[in-house]
Amino acid sequence: TPHGHYIIPLKSRNKLIGILFLYTRTDPTWYRFSQEVLLSIGGLIAGAIERQLSEEELERYRKNLESIVEERTAELTAMREQLRKLNQWMEEVREEEKKRISREVHDQLGQSLTALSLDLSWLGKRIEEGEAPIRGKIQEMRESVKQTIGLTQKIAAELRPPFLDLMGLSRTMA
């Protein structure tokens, strides 16, 4: 059968989106007004296509952003956990170092001061009765050593209180 056709541009805001081919009878009754109506329909179709394309592009962007946010959130969560573990490890290292220094101060310095005190006692017993100034000086030195032993014990206890070892460090930090 013979037919006619129209080529209708699909335009949205002066942007050509596509072309619509319309086949008709050779002499349609609406021929007189067809051009304006068909151009208007073409504009409506072009607008709908453009909206659909825009919505699809927005959806792609949204999914991409969601993916980026999920990745960053996972990275931040992992970093936070790493920082927590690093902080815990550093605290353990600090406590071990304090413990070592405390033992060293208590054991080494304490032993040396105790030996010095014993030597001063021994020396005091060996001095003649007539050597009062020397006996007085030895007694002053013994008192000074006794105070230094007390100070050493205090420093060792402040560096690492003994109850931390008795109860366990993790319980005291919880």
Side-chain angles (χ1 to χ4, degrees):
T1 58
H3 65 274
H5 62 274
Y6 289 96
I7 300 174
I8 307 161
L10 303 179
K11 284 180 147 185
S12 175
R13 293 177 284 197
N14 293 326
K15 179 180 173 187
L16 184 63
I17 304 293
I19 297 174
L20 176 66
F21 289 97
L22 181 63
Y23 292 95
T24 66
R25 289 182 282 164
T26 55
D27 187 24
T29 56
W30 46 271
Y31 181 76
R32 211 176 330 154
F33 307 106
S34 63
Q35 185 175 4
E36 288 179 30
V37 171
L38 292 175
L39 286 174
S40 178
I41 290 172
L44 292 172
I45 292 171
I49 291 171
E50 193 171 41
R51 270 191 305 280
Q52 180 63 34
L53 291 173
S54 294
E55 287 175 11
E56 288 172 1
E57 187 175 6
L58 282 172
E59 182 63 18
R60 279 193 307 274
Y61 283 131
R62 185 190 63 77
K63 285 181 180 180
N64 187 34
L65 283 174
E66 284 178 357
S67 174
I68 290 170
V69 167
E70 285 177 13
E71 287 174 16
R72 295 294 189 265
T73 301
E75 289 172 3
L76 288 173
T77 301
M79 286 174 62
R80 190 174 293 134
E81 181 61 18
Q82 287 176 341
L83 286 173
R84 188 192 65 76
K85 286 180 180 179
L86 177 62
N87 190 36
Q88 182 180 359
W89 176 79
M90 287 174 54
E91 189 62 34
E92 289 171 4
V93 167
R94 249 183 266 145
E95 287 303 317
E96 282 300 314
E97 186 63 12
K98 283 176 159 183
K99 187 177 182 179
R100 184 190 65 74
I101 292 170
S102 174
R103 280 190 186 137
E104 215 169 281
V105 165
H106 183 269
D107 295 348
Q108 305 263 331
L109 194 53
Q111 286 176 8
S112 295
L113 289 168
T114 301
L116 182 59
S117 180
L118 291 173
D119 288 346
L120 287 171
S121 289
W122 179 85
L123 188 60
K125 291 177 186 176
R126 306 284 180 288
I127 298 221
E128 299 285 328
E129 288 294 325
E131 302 288 334
I134 295 176
R135 277 182 178 270
K137 189 62 176 171
I138 290 174
Q139 186 57 35
E140 285 177 25
M141 291 171 70
R142 287 185 69 206
E143 282 302 314
S144 179
V145 168
K146 184 178 177 183
Q147 288 175 358
T148 305
I149 288 172
L151 184 60
T152 301
Q153 290 170 341
K154 182 182 175 199
I155 289 171
E158 286 177 359
L159 273 172
R160 178 79 178 177
F163 72 88
L164 289 181
D165 293 324
L166 293 173
M167 296 181 67
L169 178 61
S170 60
R171 284 194 225 151
T172 61
M173 298 193 62

